[in-house]
Amino acid sequence: MSDEKRAMVEFQETLEAAQQRAMASCREWPRMGFEEFLELIQVPENIHSQGPGVKRYMSRQPAWMAGNELPWDELFRNLKGPRPRHSGLGVFGGCVYAQAPLAAARAIEEEERRQTAATGLVRPVPGIHSIQGIFTVPGLGDRPFIFDVTNIISGRSFFGRQVNVRQPKQPSSDPAGPFPDSDAELPLGDICFSCITTFKRPAEGVDDVQSPISAQKRYADVLSQRAPDEWEPAPQSDIDIITSLFKDFKGHGGFPLLDMHKVDMSEYNSDKEVPDRIQLMLYRPMKPIPNDDANGHIVCHAFEADRNGLIMLGNHMGYGFNMGKAASLSYSFYVHTNPDEAVMDGDGWWIQEINWPRVSANRCMMESKIWSPKGKHVASAYQDGMLVPAKEPMEVKDSEL
């Protein structure tokens, strides 16, 4: 037995009472839908001085933080000494990864409306084609994100925008949100995230080719075992030590936008090496998203694809009770279809098919395919990040509780 698992066994009996106490303290957390959680306000040009052509937007709600809603204080109320660290310093990176391209989309949509008003010509709205982002500084939840959108290219059918994201150097006067407009006038810190988002107008393609075996067909034996919403909700923070500590807690917490369920792939993966293992996530909007906002739907797919991916790989690598650093460095998301095919209308469940083909030099690679309920391969995501075990395994002794 590994040292990490032995440590868990050593305090198992004492932990049980603490877990029961913590579970009794659990409460329901409010969950925000798309229009509330990803709301952006445009900052008037006379307030910022980024130069002509730069459009600035500000988020209104605090970003979600993985594991922050679990009853940690109650679980460790009688623990002496340091508490296990349940998350990194920053908020969930998917929040800024979704809002940055959404700010770029809102800038282009505004330009399209102005052009239509001036010319009377109505053209199909450009949809997000790709998002290529890098994370530089952990985001903080007590202040808004500020998005500066700059034009790279505006062609007849192809567009590119760069978005640099920063946060105020000081917390908001209302850190629980919604953030007041005045936060946009505070001095800003360094760039915490930057991305290039490209857009394409819809087009009639000559061919439409994909793998003839969709995720629904490839994993039919597993998926047929339960209805989609009967699989466990995606853990708030999918690290072995946390899911062991809160083994009876099954819920979304305050996770916004989407209902996400994790398919149990343990039997499927049992005889496979790490690069050949697969994880399936099932998801759909928790509240309807307007069907005419295809770019809003696309950023929700990107938001979902970023969740828990690298730390799930840590579990496969044996770092689940000994996790050191796990963080996204770069993340690329590509839409392969016209934007309307990414719209999540109806009650159908979408599938994220995840695998981790490479780990080296304290880094790791994650690939995802996004499948529609009808089995169409709509998008792909590629993520490179840090994945490092801790120098010393986590230990909690009986005498410390």
Side-chain angles (χ1 to χ4, degrees), residues 18-193:
Q19 287 175 322
Q20 293 176 353
R21 184 177 64 246
M23 288 302 302
S25 72
C26 284
R27 64 181 180 88
E28 290 292 324
W29 289 84
R31 300 177 65 204
M32 296 184 187
F34 168 78
E35 293 181 301
E36 183 179 9
F37 184 72
L38 292 187
E39 179 188 2
L40 297 171
I41 62 168
Q42 187 166 1
V43 180
E45 292 185 6
N46 63 331
I47 290 180
H48 69 86
S49 57
Q50 295 302 300
V54 177
K55 292 184 172 63
R56 173 169 286 186
Y57 298 82
M58 185 184 84
S59 63
R60 295 284 282 181
Q61 299 293 342
W64 185 74
M65 189 168 185
N68 210 37
E69 294 133 8
L70 294 170
W72 292 95
D73 290 340
E74 195 62 31
L75 181 69
F76 293 121
R77 188 173 66 187
N78 298 323
L79 176 66
K80 298 178 181 179
R83 298 182 178 186
R85 180 168 56 87
H86 66 84
S87 67
L89 299 175
V91 297
F92 170 47
C95 299
V96 68
Y97 194 86
Q99 284 181 308
L102 186 61
R106 297 302 185 239
I108 284 184
E109 291 160 4
E110 179 192 355
E111 295 164 10
E112 291 283 300
R113 286 191 294 269
R114 289 183 178 180
Q115 187 172 16
T116 297
T119 65
L121 178 64
V122 179
R123 304 186 67 185
V125 177
I128 292 173
H129 156 258
S130 72
I131 309 164
Q132 302 174 60
I134 57 171
F135 298 88
T136 55
V137 178
L140 303 174
D142 60 0
R143 64 203 71 184
F145 290 106
I146 306 296
F147 306 88
D148 287 333
V149 182
T150 305
N151 187 351
I152 298 175
I153 182 174
S154 291
R156 290 177 58 85
S157 62
F158 187 78
F159 304 78
R161 298 293 183 271
Q162 180 171 353
V163 186
N164 288 327
V165 188
R166 294 181 289 173
Q167 291 188 285
K169 294 181 178 180
Q170 65 191 62
S172 171
S173 59
D174 188 357
F179 300 124
D181 293 1
S182 57
D183 282 354
E185 302 180 45
L186 297 172
L188 299 178
D190 295 332
I191 292 173
C192 61
F193 177 76

Side-chain angles (χ1 to χ4, degrees), residues 13 25 82 88 117 122 133 177 237 315 331 371:
E13 291 184 358
S25 72
V122 179
S237 187
N315 296 333
Y331 174 19
W371 299 88

Side-chain angles (χ1 to χ4, degrees), residues 301-315:
H301 290 296
F303 175 84
E304 183 278 335
D306 189 39
R307 188 176 178 199
N308 279 337
L310 299 186
I311 59 176
M312 286 193 292
L313 171 58
N315 296 333

Side-chain angles (χ1 to χ4, degrees), residues 1 7 19 76 96 114 121 139 156 199 204 259 267 290 298 340 342 348 364 380:
M1 181 183 297
Q19 287 175 322
F76 293 121
V96 68
R114 289 183 178 180
L121 178 64
R156 290 177 58 85
F199 298 79
E204 292 294 330
D259 288 334
E267 183 177 351
I298 290 170
D340 65 299
C364 57
S380 298

Side-chain angles (χ1 to χ4, degrees), residues 317-385:
M317 294 297 296
Y319 308 162
F321 293 92
N322 187 31
M323 189 75 78
K325 294 181 180 180
S328 297
L329 297 175
S330 63
Y331 174 19
S332 298
F333 189 88
Y334 296 89
V335 179
H336 307 303
T337 64
N338 283 328
D340 65 299
E341 296 191 66
V343 170
M344 295 178 281
D345 58 348
D347 295 327
W349 290 88
W350 291 67
I351 297 179
Q352 179 195 9
E353 179 186 6
I354 307 167
N355 74 299
W356 303 274
R358 191 74 172 99
V359 178
S360 179
N362 288 339
R363 299 202 338 268
C364 57
M365 172 68 179
M366 184 178 85
E367 297 180 345
S368 296
K369 292 181 179 179
I370 303 299
W371 299 88
S372 77
K374 296 181 179 179
K376 176 161 285 192
H377 181 192
V378 170
S380 298
Y382 306 88
Q383 192 168 163
D384 185 271

Side-chain angles (χ1 to χ4, degrees), residues 250-325:
K250 312 296 182 186
H252 296 285
F255 183 69
L257 302 184
L258 306 166
D259 288 334
M260 285 184 63
H261 293 263
K262 181 182 179 181
V263 178
D264 184 355
M265 301 294 290
S266 56
E267 183 177 351
Y268 177 88
N269 290 326
S270 61
D271 61 347
K272 295 176 175 60
E273 299 295 328
V274 170
D276 297 320
R277 294 178 188 175
I278 297 293
Q279 180 59 57
L280 301 181
M281 308 298 295
L282 307 178
Y283 67 97
R284 66 183 181 186
M286 57 163 290
K287 295 180 180 179
I289 302 170
N291 283 357
D292 61 355
D293 187 4
N295 286 321
H297 287 259
I298 290 170
V299 301
C300 286
H301 290 296
F303 175 84
E304 183 278 335
D306 189 39
R307 188 176 178 199
N308 279 337
L310 299 186
I311 59 176
M312 286 193 292
L313 171 58
N315 296 333
H316 288 287
M317 294 297 296
Y319 308 162
F321 293 92
N322 187 31
M323 189 75 78
K325 294 181 180 180

